[in-house]
Amino acid sequence: METMTISQLSKAYGVTTRTLRYYEEIGLIESVKKEDYAYRTYDDATVRRLQQIILLRKLRIKLQDIARILQNNQAIIAIEVFEECLKDVNEEIKALDTIRYLYETLLLQLRESITELGMLGVVKNDVLLETIQSLPLMKTKLKEEKVRMEDLNKVNETIQRLRDEEVRIIYLPSVTVASAHYIGENPEDQAQSILNQFVKEQKLNETNKGLRVFGFNNPSPKRLGEVYGYEFCVTIPEEFDVPKPLEKKMLEGGMYAVYCIKMGDFEKWPLLWKWVEASQEYDYDRREPLGMDGALEEHLNAPLYYARSGEEQKFIQLDLMVPIRKAKK
């Protein structure tokens, strides 16, 4: 029976190693350990299971529902999940059909009366106004186009745009950090292990109750097969000494567009970048550290993480952070 390492699996199916580890953590897939071999490996059954997970994720099915489908070898479970998803999609289509009709009607009215109107004067028909007011605020925006199976990924991104109220704008002051960096197999695991040992030995969680943990790819592969590394940073007092292999650094800080995700939802990174690109109020501001072009991942509730041990010691949420500046008028 042939097995694949986590890096091989990641490259073969375009899924990040962090996502694979998260899938394993929540019980969606399992790894096996070879004797005298330190790294995770995956057998044929797990590879086939991952293929199913990827297909279901492309259909916008939630991880908890995927777990229900895969853990219960009963068609009725899949039927229940698909029926619920179909209901959601039909509601979306109905709402979009209504909006399309309203656009067509508004355009017809405006073209019939070519006069200067303020925005509040555009909708004059009482029935039309009442219809618009009854609509819920849309969470998604879907282009009207024919959907082919091979285009599911693109459609999935299109219909999952971030709303303005979902993105926070924060200012991160410059902070002194201890950095753990690793390039190679499982770089997040390796770098985090180094950082965890440092925090424990220095009792940093006891002396620095407000400590924060940031991370970023370094280097960040642009294509499958490129060199991949990860760098973890924990905030420390400015006068603190840092032993090797860690390195004492300064995070420049600045303004960031921030979106909170559950651990494992890394496919939402492109949505935040698109939000920044579409923003009229903010521009992207490339700055150090440049591992991910200045973007950071803050692993939230670090004090609670370091207060726990064993299986309970895990990060549950991340803040995705893209550096920005005020747009020039």
Side-chain angles (χ1 to χ4, degrees):
M1 178 180 64
E2 294 186 3
T3 60
M4 301 176 71
T5 67
I6 191 169
S7 292
Q8 290 171 334
L9 195 61
S10 171
K11 293 172 185 176
Y13 292 97
V15 181
T16 67
T17 56
R18 279 179 299 170
T19 298
L20 291 173
R21 287 196 303 276
Y22 181 69
Y23 286 172
E24 185 172 348
E25 183 179 306
I26 63 176
L28 283 180
I29 60 175
E30 292 182 357
S31 62
V32 294
K33 284 288 185 70
K34 288 184 177 180
E35 190 174 350
D36 300 325
Y37 193 70
Y39 300 126
R40 290 178 170 90
T41 59
Y42 301 87
D43 59 20
D44 291 339
T46 300
V47 172
R48 289 194 298 273
R49 190 177 177 91
L50 177 64
Q51 291 172 330
Q52 295 180 62
I53 293 169
I54 292 172
L55 177 62
L56 293 172
R57 285 297 278 167
K58 287 183 177 181
L59 290 171
R60 301 170 66 197
I61 296 177
K62 299 175 183 177
L63 287 176
Q64 57 265 38
D65 288 331
I66 293 177
R68 288 178 57 207
I69 292 172
L70 297 181
Q71 290 167 4
N72 295 273
N73 191 24
Q74 299 177 19
I76 189 64
I77 301 298
I79 290 172
E80 289 176 358
V81 172
F82 292 162
E83 283 180 341
E84 186 63 31
C85 291
L86 181 59
K87 179 183 176 183
D88 292 341
V89 170
N90 282 333
E91 288 177 354
E92 236 179 302
I93 292 172
K94 183 178 179 181
L96 289 170
D97 281 342
T98 302
I99 289 174
R100 179 170 57 183
Y101 162 75
L102 292 171
Y103 276 136
E104 291 170 348
T105 305
L106 287 169
L107 283 170
L108 180 62
Q109 288 183 356
L110 288 170
R111 285 168 180 157
E112 287 178 349
S113 57
I114 304 179
T115 57
E116 290 188 6
L117 297 172
M119 285 305 294
L120 294 178
V122 170
V123 184
K124 290 188 172 182
N125 183 293
D126 290 341
V127 175
L128 207 61
L129 183 60
E130 185 177 344
T131 304
I132 295 174
Q133 289 175 335
S134 68
L135 289 171
L137 287 174
M138 293 298 292
K139 295 182 180 179
T140 58
K141 184 178 181 181
L142 178 64
K143 290 182 179 179
E144 293 173 359
E145 57 187 4
K146 292 183 179 179
V147 181
R148 298 173 300 168
M149 286 299 293
E150 59 265 33
D151 292 330
L152 276 174
N153 251 341
K154 294 179 181 178
V155 175
N156 194 43
E157 289 182 5
T158 304
I159 59 184
Q160 292 189 52
R161 300 196 184 280
L162 299 185
R163 296 173 295 171
D164 287 342
E165 59 266 31
E166 293 177 315
V167 179
R168 300 168 3 245
I169 306 300
I170 70 164
Y171 181 82
L172 176 68
S174 60
V175 289
T176 306
V177 297
S179 164
H181 186 203
Y182 188 89
I183 298 175
E185 191 87 12
N186 304 334
E188 294 96 346
D189 285 351
Q190 300 291 343
Q192 188 171 18
S193 178
I194 296 169
L195 196 76
N196 288 356
Q197 184 177 351
F198 166 71
V199 173
K200 181 179 179 180
E201 290 177 350
Q202 301 297 324
K203 297 182 178 179
L204 198 59
N205 193 41
E206 299 176 16
T207 59
N208 183 9
K209 296 298 184 182
L211 85 170
R212 301 172 69 173
V213 172
F214 301 91
F216 52 93
N217 295 349
N218 184 19
S220 185
K222 304 298 183 185
R223 301 177 188 85
L224 292 177
E226 290 186 345
V227 177
Y228 174 37
Y230 200 82
E231 189 167 341
F232 263 108
C233 301
V234 61
T235 55
I236 58 173
E238 190 172 346
E239 69 280 1
F240 211 79
D241 291 327
V242 174
K244 292 190 177 300
L246 288 95
E247 185 178 351
K248 188 175 182 178
K249 291 185 174 183
M250 179 73 71
L251 278 186
E252 181 180 340
M255 189 182 295
Y256 290 86
V258 179
Y259 179 62
C260 185
I261 65 168
K262 292 181 179 179
M263 179 64 75
D265 289 349
F266 299 109
E267 70 272 13
K268 293 187 177 178
W269 256 122
L271 304 181
L272 181 57
W273 282 106
K274 288 179 181 178
W275 184 93
V276 172
E277 290 172 3
S279 175
Q280 296 182 353
E281 190 173 353
Y282 301 100
D283 290 332
Y284 165 58
D285 183 23
R286 190 172 186 267
R287 68 172 82 105
E288 295 283 356
L290 296 177
M292 295 194 307
D293 295 320
L296 298 172
E297 296 172 337
E298 181 171 6
H299 299 249
L300 299 177
N301 299 314
L304 181 60
Y305 168 83
Y306 286 113
R308 293 173 171 172
S309 60
E311 293 184 358
E312 290 186 350
Q313 190 178 50
K314 62 181 70 174
F315 285 107
I316 299 173
Q317 290 179 305
L318 289 176
D319 263 349
L320 309 182
M321 305 171 63
V322 173
I324 57 173
R325 61 172 178 263
K326 278 283 189 179
K328 295 180 179 178
K329 301 297 183 182

